[in-house]
Amino acid sequence: AILRGEAGVGKSHLARWLAERAHELGAATPLVLRHGPIEARGQGIAGALAAMLASSGLRGETLEARLSASLDEPRESVLVQGLAEIIDPARGEAPPRLRFDAASERHALVRQLLARACEERPLLLVVDDAQWGLDALGLVRHLTRSAPLPILVVLTVEEDALEGHEVAAALLDTLAAASTRCGQRVPR
């Protein structure tokens, strides 16, 4: 679902309410990716995964240990090393043990994690202010092109902010045309 509209009409509030209600009812596990015009720590895919895996603020070996325990995977596994690289690309002074050559590799790894998360119940993936999150839009495109998972994706888009951001606008148009969706303009 794509919620489009002007700033301040309640798109983000509606998406947050949906996520909270899905969690309250046990209908879905919410995962919220927040974005802003200036990229900040804790936003986007990295911030959402860190929150999901209770690893916000962790770095280096502490992060790897938490991910290993949370996922019940060895620290050296591709999943743990890849997620550590996504969550904390700086990784302190240590060189990364795993490098992604393309965004599609990163998206495939995130999809693997989301597939595991969907084993218990469906996932509600909210991409708030999607016009600022090109990587998140790429992930959503990857999810629509791969084998289906029980994930409902809700994007909020501030239409005014799309001016001058042709790549984001094109990705949103592609997603709207290629997926089973309901698009709704939120009126003022």
Side-chain angles (χ1 to χ4, degrees):
I2 302 174
L3 302 174
R4 295 176 178 257
E6 299 169 17
V9 297
K11 302 172 301 296
S12 296
H13 182 76
L14 179 60
R16 273 194 311 275
W17 174 83
L18 182 62
E20 289 169 7
R21 194 68 179 138
H23 179 68
E24 288 170 0
L25 296 173
T29 301
L31 180 62
V32 180
L33 287 69
R34 291 181 175 79
H35 299 91
I38 299 172
E39 194 172 325
R41 188 168 176 86
Q43 290 185 341
I45 296 171
L49 294 181
M52 176 187 190
L53 297 167
S55 59
S56 296
L58 300 181
R59 304 196 73 179
E61 291 188 14
T62 308
L63 173 61
E64 290 176 11
R66 174 67 56 85
L67 294 174
S68 176
S70 294
L71 299 169
D72 195 26
E73 290 274 335
R75 285 175 74 162
E76 300 77 26
S77 73
V78 170
L79 185 60
V80 169
Q81 291 301 309
L83 290 171
E85 184 64 21
I86 291 169
I87 292 170
D88 182 26
R91 305 281 295 280
E93 299 298 317
R97 295 184 193 178
L98 178 72
R99 287 196 191 274
F100 296 104
D101 291 328
S104 60
E105 293 175 350
R106 200 171 51 253
H107 297 155
L109 190 82
V110 173
R111 186 195 179 284
Q112 182 182 348
L113 175 67
L114 298 181
R116 287 175 69 155
C118 291
E119 290 174 1
E120 291 183 29
R121 69 172 52 116
L123 193 66
L124 172 60
L125 179 64
V126 175
V127 182
D128 192 23
D129 284 329
Q131 73 276 359
W132 305 121
L134 288 178
D135 195 37
L137 290 172
L139 172 63
V140 172
R141 183 180 60 191
H142 178 84
L143 292 172
T144 63
R145 292 178 173 177
S146 52
L149 292 173
I151 299 176
L152 171 63
V153 178
V154 176
L155 306 171
T156 68
V157 179
E158 183 183 326
E159 289 184 320
D160 298 343
L162 282 173
E163 289 181 31
H165 294 90
E166 291 78 18
V167 174
L171 270 170
L172 284 162
D173 289 344
T174 299
L175 291 172
S179 62
T180 305
R181 75 201 186 287
C182 62
Q184 184 62 48
R185 178 154 172 54
V186 181
R188 186 162 270 296

